[in-house]
Amino acid sequence: MHLIIGVLIFCLANVCEGSKAWDYSDTSKWKNDYPKCGGSKQSPINIVNPKCDKSLNNSITFTKYESAGSSKFKLTNNGHSLQLSTSSTGASIKLGSLGTFKLEQVHFHWGNSKSQGSEHELKGKTFPAEMHMVHYDSKYASLAIAAPKFDGLAVLGVFIAVGNNNPTFDKFLNFATNVTQNGSSVDIAPFKMEDLLPENKNSLYRYRGSLTTPPCYESIAWTVFDQKIQISEAQLAKFRTLKDSHGKTLQNNFRPPQALNGRKITYWNNTKCSVDDSGVAALGGSVFTALVSLLLFAVL
């Protein structure tokens, strides 16, 4: 009985479905055991040809991201990723008309070198790692209940590049040696979620997609920030000290980009999108105005 309860708790915490084991050795086979992984709105994607959308300007309202809270975080090696349970912060985001979403956990994907590791690609470019901040719609009672719903989840994706040491990452990566083995966890001091985010949070991409791991529910409003955050090579190496569910080095825990299948990728950037939704008509209008002015000046 205790074993059954333990399995149920694990699945609720990790959005499980079914009992089939999975890994990253061949992600194309996931759909054999998890049919939704063969769906038409899968994630991640290669972000190309985004369309400017004025509605995305200042569209994210962050609540309690500036507060660490008083309860400790749980840092866990779940065999597939390094995960921070951060719901105790009470942090949430409001995505305009999409609703308000509560932060449940933060996890990471990384590669075995600086040339790969991120799940999303940006115009075909990959990054050494990627962070996902997983939220569920506040109208649902929990992450597990929200996950299968078409509007249940919102995830913030952040590309991670190699550069300067990131002090915020030290706050949990310094405990990586405590969670080397699959299933191990440790309690750590809480910290502010805003310290994980890039400085520019108003340059972003938005599309509809799925969980990037089984059961691949197509229930996510994805927001991927344009600006990257940095960690040092030494910090990136700490991710690679973890072991997966097979006792092997946990790395390359990313799913390749999936087909877009006609989905629209929208975008906002104050510099590139302030003209109009297409960025072309207003530019053409500006050129036309300039030509008219020159002609008038010549006549005069």
Side-chain angles (χ1 to χ4, degrees):
M1 178 62 72
H2 291 296
L3 177 60
I4 294 174
I5 293 174
V7 170
L8 287 173
I9 292 175
F10 177 84
C11 283
L12 285 173
N14 292 278
V15 196
C16 297
E17 181 182 78
S19 57
K20 295 286 186 178
W22 59 271
D23 58 34
Y24 287 94
S25 59
D26 186 353
T27 60
S28 66
K29 294 182 178 179
W30 289 354
K31 60 186 177 184
N32 296 338
D33 295 319
Y34 299 90
K36 292 181 179 64
C37 294
S40 61
K41 298 179 181 179
Q42 289 293 290
S43 296
I45 61 169
N46 179 22
I47 299 172
V48 292
N49 299 320
K51 303 300 181 184
C52 289
D53 182 353
K54 289 182 179 179
S55 70
L56 295 181
N57 185 21
N58 294 313
S59 61
I60 306 178
T61 302
F62 294 89
T63 300
K64 292 189 176 179
Y65 261 68
E66 76 289 353
S67 175
S70 57
S71 300
K72 289 187 174 182
F73 294 163
K74 185 174 290 294
L75 180 68
T76 302
N77 173 354
N78 62 22
H80 304 296
S81 179
L82 183 65
Q83 178 175 301
L84 277 165
S85 299
T86 55
S87 60
S88 60
T89 62
S92 66
I93 54 173
K94 181 174 175 57
L95 301 180
S97 62
L98 295 180
T100 299
F101 298 80
K102 296 181 178 179
L103 178 65
E104 178 75 12
Q105 51 102 331
V106 180
H107 66 265
F108 303 85
H109 301 267
W110 60 91
N112 61 358
S113 70
K114 291 192 291 185
S115 64
Q116 61 181 2
S118 65
E119 295 210 297
H120 288 91
E121 294 182 3
L122 187 54
K123 298 178 181 178
K125 180 177 175 55
T126 58
F127 300 88
E130 184 173 336
M131 176 176 67
H132 292 163
M133 308 183 82
V134 182
H135 306 69
Y136 67 93
D137 196 308
S138 60
K139 67 185 177 184
Y140 299 113
S142 68
L143 175 67
I145 293 173
K149 312 297 185 183
F150 79 97
D151 60 350
L153 305 179
V155 179
L156 303 180
V158 182
F159 292 119
I160 301 175
V162 172
N164 296 325
N165 185 78
N166 190 320
T168 302
F169 274 64
D170 282 337
K171 293 178 180 181
F172 59 92
L173 284 179
N174 285 345
F175 296 90
T177 53
N178 298 77
V179 294
T180 303
Q181 301 303 316
N182 172 33
S184 57
S185 63
V186 62
D187 291 335
I188 65 170
F191 54 88
K192 295 181 290 184
M193 291 293 96
E194 69 176 6
D195 292 342
L196 288 171
L197 292 171
E199 183 177 350
N200 184 358
K201 293 178 279 295
N202 197 38
S203 182
L204 53 88
Y205 304 91
R206 174 74 50 76
Y207 78 99
R208 296 295 312 190
S210 73
L211 296 172
T212 64
T213 59
C216 305
Y217 291 133
E218 295 178 341
S219 57
I220 297 181
W222 274 98
T223 301
V224 180
F225 293 107
D226 195 32
Q227 186 180 36
K228 294 78 183 167
I229 60 174
Q230 292 186 354
I231 64 174
S232 68
E233 184 67 66
Q235 289 178 311
L236 182 60
K238 289 183 178 181
F239 281 109
R240 303 186 190 119
T241 63
L242 275 60
K243 303 295 183 183
D244 64 15
S245 55
H246 301 294
K248 299 179 180 179
T249 301
L250 180 53
Q251 57 189 7
N252 297 335
N253 59 339
F254 58 89
R255 188 187 194 190
Q258 304 297 297
L260 196 57
N261 293 321
R263 283 175 286 171
K264 181 171 67 173
I265 306 172
T266 54
Y267 173 57
W268 179 258
N269 176 287
N270 283 335
T271 302
K272 299 178 181 179
C273 295
S274 58
V275 283
D276 79 339
D277 287 351
S278 68
V280 176
L283 178 60
S286 298
V287 172
F288 178 76
T289 301
L291 287 173
V292 170
S293 298
L294 286 172
L295 288 171
L296 289 173
F297 178 79
V299 171
L300 294 173

